[in-house]
Amino acid sequence: MSGRGVDEEEEEAPVTHTGPKGVINDWRKFKLESTDQEALPPSKRELLRQMSSPHKPKDDSVGSLNRKMSVQEYELLKEDDEQCLRKYRKQCMQEMHERLSFGPKFEGVYDLDSGEAFLDVIEKEHKLTVVVVHIYKDDVKGCEELNNCLNCLATEYPTVKFCRINAAATGAGERFSDDVLPAVLVYKAGELLGNFLTVTQYFNEEFFATDVEAFLNDYGLLPEKELRVDGEEADVE
């Protein structure tokens, strides 16, 4: 025997299980942690505590956790199970995606205000992140429409960093004259993967985010879209 007490053994870090029992215990723990304990009546608080613990209570007077649940107890617990389960599923999907993607996530299109900021986003971004840069001028045809398209794509591809910069702010305005705009440059790990000048020449006069998406996909420049769980992201608060 090692001589350690029971309390010491119980304080060891829990082992993560992927089998059915491990999933059930993870769900019970999540339910306990995501419930506002202070707002619960003592009886429900005790039930949740017992359900979340994989160990038998030390005090036998509490009763065995294997006993059948009463109708009152069942009604007490089931009312918020569905929403809590949906939150749990969403959390699991997010954790799985983070483990698989190994990269940061972004929100919206980032405005770059200088040539230095332009170089930084190319050279210092995560090596697995695709960076799409739109070089524009406000009065050049197609630039505003392309900005709107990238706003839409940024919500569909959060692992891609979409940026835009006014040609005059790049420090190389002579290279980006009106006749080559709008221009789209695509980078990854500091390497230029795509250089599309007057990119609107590849689209119809009226174009949409799906057209830009299809164009970038034709060159293999976009990753797979995010995994979603039955549209729950819009439902769970």
Side-chain angles (χ1 to χ4, degrees), residues 123-205:
E123 298 173 353
K124 297 182 180 180
E125 194 50 68
H126 192 285
K127 65 180 181 179
L128 295 179
T129 296
V130 173
V131 179
V132 177
V133 182
H134 172 210
I135 302 175
Y136 70 94
K137 282 185 180 178
D138 292 328
D139 55 350
V140 172
K141 183 179 180 180
C143 287
E144 182 179 358
E145 291 82 352
L146 186 56
N147 273 332
N148 293 334
C149 292
L150 296 184
N151 286 335
C152 295
L153 293 182
T155 65
E156 296 290 330
Y157 295 91
T159 60
V160 176
K161 188 165 188 176
F162 291 92
C163 306
R164 59 185 166 225
I165 184 170
N166 192 296
T170 63
E174 68 281 356
R175 295 181 55 191
F176 297 108
S177 56
D178 293 3
D179 59 334
V180 301
L181 300 180
V184 172
L185 309 182
V186 184
Y187 298 86
K188 185 176 182 181
E191 180 182 355
L192 180 64
L193 302 182
N195 182 15
F196 307 105
L197 304 179
T198 321
V199 70
T200 48
Q201 67 179 301
Y202 302 103
F203 310 134
N204 294 325
E205 184 171 351

Side-chain angles (χ1 to χ4, degrees):
M1 294 180 64
S2 63
R4 293 186 304 172
V6 175
D7 291 341
E8 290 181 289
E9 294 179 356
E10 291 183 350
E11 289 176 359
E12 291 181 352
V15 179
T16 301
H17 300 287
T18 56
K21 290 183 179 179
V23 173
I24 291 172
N25 286 335
D26 285 347
W27 153 242
R28 287 173 172 173
K29 181 179 179 182
F30 177 86
K31 182 173 177 62
L32 180 68
E33 293 176 348
S34 63
T35 303
D36 184 0
Q37 299 293 311
E38 297 301 323
L40 294 177
S43 57
K44 186 172 183 179
R45 195 182 312 160
E46 176 62 19
L47 280 172
L48 287 175
R49 186 194 67 77
Q50 292 181 22
M51 287 177 62
S52 68
S53 174
H55 304 290
K56 291 184 179 180
K58 297 178 181 178
D59 185 359
D60 291 336
S61 64
V62 176
S64 171
L65 294 181
N66 294 324
R67 66 177 177 82
K68 292 184 178 180
M69 187 181 296
S70 70
V71 175
Q72 291 80 5
E73 291 171 343
Y74 175 75
E75 293 293 335
L76 190 65
L77 292 176
K78 79 169 186 177
E79 56 190 23
D80 60 347
D81 267 4
E82 183 177 352
Q83 183 177 4
C84 193
L85 179 59
R86 290 167 65 192
K87 288 182 179 180
Y88 176 68
R89 291 175 60 198
K90 177 186 175 184
Q91 176 179 296
C92 289
M93 291 297 290
Q94 288 176 335
E95 290 175 353
M96 180 180 72
H97 177 79
E98 289 171 2
R99 287 196 299 269
L100 294 177
S101 65
F102 300 106
K105 292 185 179 182
F106 308 94
E107 294 183 0
V109 179
Y110 293 76
D111 287 295
L112 308 178
D113 57 7
S114 66
E116 183 179 355
F118 187 10
L119 291 177
D120 281 348
V121 78
I122 295 171
E123 298 173 353
K124 297 182 180 180
E125 194 50 68
H126 192 285
K127 65 180 181 179
L128 295 179
T129 296
V130 173
V131 179
V132 177
V133 182
H134 172 210
I135 302 175
Y136 70 94
K137 282 185 180 178
D138 292 328
D139 55 350
V140 172
K141 183 179 180 180
C143 287
E144 182 179 358
E145 291 82 352
L146 186 56
N147 273 332
N148 293 334
C149 292
L150 296 184
N151 286 335
C152 295
L153 293 182
T155 65
E156 296 290 330
Y157 295 91
T159 60
V160 176
K161 188 165 188 176
F162 291 92
C163 306
R164 59 185 166 225
I165 184 170
N166 192 296
T170 63
E174 68 281 356
R175 295 181 55 191
F176 297 108
S177 56
D178 293 3
D179 59 334
V180 301
L181 300 180
V184 172
L185 309 182
V186 184
Y187 298 86
K188 185 176 182 181
E191 180 182 355
L192 180 64
L193 302 182
N195 182 15
F196 307 105
L197 304 179
T198 321
V199 70
T200 48
Q201 67 179 301
Y202 302 103
F203 310 134
N204 294 325
E205 184 171 351
E206 186 179 19
F207 62 93
F208 305 94
T210 51
D211 300 312
V212 179
E213 178 183 30
F215 175 76
L216 294 174
N217 274 327
D218 285 344
Y219 287 89
L221 297 173
L222 293 179
E224 294 292 330
K225 282 189 177 180
E226 287 276 271
L227 291 173
R228 298 181 182 273
V229 187
D230 302 329
E232 288 178 358
E233 292 177 347
D235 299 330
V236 179
E237 297 181 357

